[in-house]
Amino acid sequence: MGKYIISDPDILGGTPVIKGTRVPIGRILFLLKDGYTLEAIHEDYPHIDIQTLSSAIDEAIEALNTTLHAKKVL
């Protein structure tokens, strides 16, 4: 998928995760929606540095925007 998010059928059945982890990017986005800060997410997942979290979120947004533009949903 990208530099920070991967989808591998051998990792959580192909669910997109942050590269090098088994943490689904959807979980991170849910936590953000629920009001968590990057610092609070980092406390829950200390093995993922804040820069990686931020970059993975940016990558997820870009992937979503690309998909929406391709489908002309916007």
Side-chain angles (χ1 to χ4, degrees), residues 11 15 24 30 35-38 42 46 50 53 62 65 67-68 74:
I11 301 171
T15 299
F30 174 82
Y36 280 62
T37 63
L38 285 178
H42 175 64
I50 291 177
L53 286 168
E62 181 60 33
N65 283 334
T67 300
L68 291 176
L74 293 177

Side-chain angles (χ1 to χ4, degrees), residues 66-74:
T66 299
T67 300
L68 291 176
H69 283 297
K71 292 183 178 182
K72 299 183 188 222
V73 174
L74 293 177

